Amino acid sequence: MSLYAIGDFHLSFQADKPMDQFGSVWKKHEEKIQKYCNRLIRPEDTLVITGDHSWGRKLEECREGLAFIEALPGRKILLRGNHDMFWDAKKTERLNREYQGRLSFLQNNYYVYEDYALVGTKGYTFEGPFYLDRRGRIVGWDEEKEAHAEKLIDREIKRLQQSFDAASADGYQKFIMFLHYPPTSVIEKESAFTRIAEQYHAEHVVYSHCHGESRYHDSIRGEYHGINYHLVSGDFLKFRPERIL
């Protein structure tokens, strides 16, 4: 069995939101997702999709997108993204009941891959606005919006803690942590998310959300403090799921 991850499908089967406008990599990206998932993923594998599944704002507007994901090979675990308006965090249990045996929704709970607990939450990070000097260096930022971001980060950390604690209570000691947002902002070297990953000795942190060449280096990639950080945004991967284990 293998564990794969990818994020940011941004499916628009029931919404007028074509992705071609964001660059050639997005042209017919649904076909690329199908092609590479069918090529790489076997029925016994697990695929974690790290948010931004569909442009639909209500569940009924996302049915075709979720059916598309359901038809991909392997076991599918979904994480909330910032555009997943159909998914209220308080309704995760209802989604899991409705899609039982077809899709699994990761929020305030955990799933198992071999002897690992898969934990996760949407996350959050401060994205500005930043103030730049003439050389493009960050010299300041909107402190009011930063304070608001800190409140959202605190909420997400509590949700992530719930996932870790539930898995720990059941005896799991090996963790892979999933986020939608990157674990740090462009002005951070560490954050509440990196600290909790280190506290629980997570082996991998997997995230997405960062789109376009200029954003691929917004956060940590590669090994940092003994943890492997993976950016799995769909366009970054050119829609080929990354094998984590």
Side-chain angles (χ1 to χ4, degrees), residues 14-186:
Q14 295 173 265
D16 185 18
K17 190 79 173 182
M19 295 298 293
D20 297 10
Q21 60 184 306
F22 298 108
S24 59
V25 69
W26 289 97
K27 187 174 182 180
K28 296 183 178 180
H29 76 288
E30 301 94 339
E31 296 179 12
K32 296 175 185 177
I33 293 167
Q34 279 185 321
K35 178 176 72 173
Y36 293 124
C37 284
N38 287 330
R39 180 181 298 176
L40 296 171
I41 298 172
R42 299 166 297 178
E44 64 270 25
D45 293 338
T46 295
L47 173 64
V48 181
I49 306 168
T50 56
D52 285 0
H53 309 290
S54 170
W55 283 113
R57 298 185 64 83
K58 299 178 181 179
L59 182 57
E60 290 306 316
E61 298 171 349
C62 300
R63 295 289 188 188
E64 291 184 25
L66 293 175
F68 173 90
I69 294 171
E70 183 183 336
L72 297 175
R75 175 178 65 147
K76 278 77 62 178
I77 299 174
L78 279 63
L79 193 72
R80 289 175 68 229
N82 59 304
H83 290 297
D84 291 321
M85 304 302 179
F86 76 94
W87 181 351
D88 186 312
K90 297 176 182 178
K91 297 179 180 178
T92 301
E93 289 186 12
R94 192 173 79 179
L95 284 168
N96 275 318
R97 287 195 300 270
E98 181 171 349
Y99 282 91
Q100 187 174 7
R102 298 181 287 158
L103 299 173
S104 299
F105 296 84
L106 177 58
Q107 177 71 67
N108 298 341
N109 53 12
Y110 74 94
Y111 291 97
V112 174
Y113 171 81
E114 297 186 342
D115 55 345
Y116 288 87
L118 309 181
V119 302
T121 191
K122 178 175 67 175
Y124 197 77
T125 190
F126 176 54
E127 297 182 286
F130 299 104
Y131 308 132
L132 309 179
D133 63 15
R134 286 181 294 180
R135 296 184 180 180
R137 297 174 298 190
I138 296 173
V139 294
W141 50 83
D142 189 314
E143 295 183 358
E144 184 175 338
K145 290 192 175 181
E146 182 190 31
H148 177 67
E150 288 298 326
K151 292 180 180 179
L152 298 180
I153 289 167
D154 183 62
R155 179 193 67 188
E156 291 298 307
I157 286 292
K158 289 176 180 176
R159 290 172 171 171
L160 185 57
Q161 185 89 51
Q162 187 171 339
S163 283
F164 272 116
D165 287 348
S168 296
D170 288 339
Y172 288 93
Q173 299 179 349
K174 298 171 68 175
F175 301 98
I176 300 176
M177 183 175 124
F178 294 90
L179 300 168
H180 174 69
Y181 280 93
T184 59
S185 73
V186 296

